[in-house]
Amino acid sequence: MTTIARTRAELAARTDPLPGTVALVPTMGALHEGHRALIRHAREIAAHVVVSIFVNPLQFGAGEDLDRYPRTLDADLEVCAAERVDAVFAPAVGEMYPVSNEITVGAGRMGAIAEGASRPGHFDGMLTVVMKLFQIVTPDVAVFGEKDAQQLALIRRMVSDLNLRVEVIGFPTVREPDGLALSSRNRYLSAAERGTALALSRALRAGAGRAGAGSAAVLAAARTVLDEAMKAEPPLDPDYLVLVDPATFEEVAGEYAGPAVLAVAGRVGATRLIDNQPLVLTVPQEV
């Protein structure tokens, strides 16, 4: 039976007696099929699963969608019950931050590039809440979606740099049949906006298709798709398109060969979306 815990004490009373390994799936709620996939994977690799549902104010900047971010706790609890989650940790802001936060986790240089350049302070807030969840839940493993590739890279770096005793597992991006990456923010999109938003995944596929031709060809192919989407109605407003090292998120260029991530962000109407595609770059051979 799925138990809901609103406080750290309630969560401890439910999870401390559990025998075997515990997996944590951190979320901000508004659960969709992508979250279900994370929960199912957690169930496969651990004896017990805890899902956290917390809209973290520290990772929202001024003018972002903190107030309107979808909050669907009743529906989320039904999802967790159907997926046989052992406990849902759904704290209030005051439970997570009972006093003003004087000490937070800093994301460093990697948190200030790509997505971090567009959302200053976002990754500091994200790492702070993830660290707190690791300390409260004390999981053996934690499962995160690869759609937030930079977030995943930063969490892995935090775990390594701070010697945390948790294994971080990434799970591949779950998509709609038409290619749109599942996101809680997709519900903001009108039908026309959703059509334009498909350009993000199309751009990634176009870029990935040129992985054997080098970094410049990958970026050029993806930019062509984004440029066309800027002329659509409604138009896409691209934020960034970067080709980066998956571990550091430093941009790669020239004759770089090896694993990379093609990452994109853009706004359609009032909705900002991100997506990415892992790929392996090879250097074209001269004939």
Side-chain angles (χ1 to χ4, degrees):
M1 183 178 71
T2 300
T3 300
I4 180 169
R6 300 284 193 169
T7 68
R8 288 167 285 178
E10 290 174 355
L11 181 67
R14 175 68 178 98
T15 59
D16 284 356
L18 293 176
T21 54
V22 173
L24 170 66
V25 181
T27 82
M28 292 205 301
L31 303 184
H32 49 63
E33 286 300 316
H35 294 112
R36 282 184 182 265
L38 298 181
I39 295 168
R40 289 167 185 162
H41 187 62
R43 174 65 65 193
E44 292 174 357
I45 61 176
H48 306 283
V49 177
V50 175
V51 171
S52 63
I53 297 176
F54 179 65
V55 181
N56 177 36
L58 264 62
Q59 66 193 71
F60 288 79
E64 293 189 343
D65 59 343
L66 173 61
D67 290 338
R68 75 177 185 126
Y69 193 87
R71 291 162 171 84
T72 58
L73 183 59
D74 289 344
D76 295 342
L77 293 176
E78 291 180 5
V79 169
C80 290
E83 297 298 336
R84 299 181 293 116
V85 168
D86 294 271
V88 174
F89 183 46
V93 172
E95 179 69 17
M96 291 298 288
Y97 303 112
V99 294
S100 60
N101 253 51
E102 292 292 333
I103 298 175
T104 60
V105 179
R109 174 196 49 77
M110 187 167 34
I113 57 181
E115 185 73 2
S118 297
R119 302 181 67 188
H122 165 70
F123 287 124
D124 293 349
M126 179 277 296
L127 289 178
T128 297
V129 79
V130 170
M131 172 67 90
K132 290 173 78 75
L133 289 169
F134 284 172
Q135 297 297 327
I136 292 168
V137 181
T138 62
D140 299 285
V141 296
V143 183
F144 295 86
E146 292 178 356
K147 184 178 79 70
D148 296 294
Q150 190 171 2
Q151 169 181 281
L152 180 58
L154 279 160
I155 291 169
R156 284 177 166 151
R157 186 61 183 265
M158 177 178 73
V159 166
S160 175
D161 285 358
L162 300 183
N163 304 113
L164 303 182
R165 298 179 64 179
V166 58
E167 181 182 3
V168 175
I169 304 294
F171 190 83
T173 302
V174 179
R175 299 182 180 277
E176 298 280 6
D178 59 11
L180 186 68
L182 289 180
S183 167
S184 298
R185 290 182 169 94
N186 288 352
R187 66 187 67 199
Y188 297 158
L189 299 169
S190 68
E193 289 170 341
R194 194 181 185 288
T196 296
L198 292 174
L200 298 177
S201 57
R202 285 202 307 270
L204 296 176
R205 290 197 300 272
R210 298 287 287 159
S215 59
V218 168
L219 289 167
R223 284 197 188 102
T224 297
V225 176
L226 298 181
D227 288 346
E228 284 300 312
M230 292 172 65
K231 305 171 187 174
E233 184 55 47
L236 172 71
D237 180 13
D239 186 349
Y240 62 79
L241 173 71
V242 292
L243 186 62
V244 298
D245 181 297
T248 66
F249 258 69
E250 292 285 355
E251 293 193 47
V252 300
E255 295 190 351
Y256 172 86
V261 171
L262 183 62
V264 66
R267 190 176 297 274
V268 184
T271 304
R272 186 175 182 277
L273 299 171
I274 64 172
D275 201 351
N276 74 84
Q277 176 64 54
L279 49 87
V280 177
L281 285 170
T282 57
V283 178
Q285 301 296 314
E286 293 185 8
V287 179

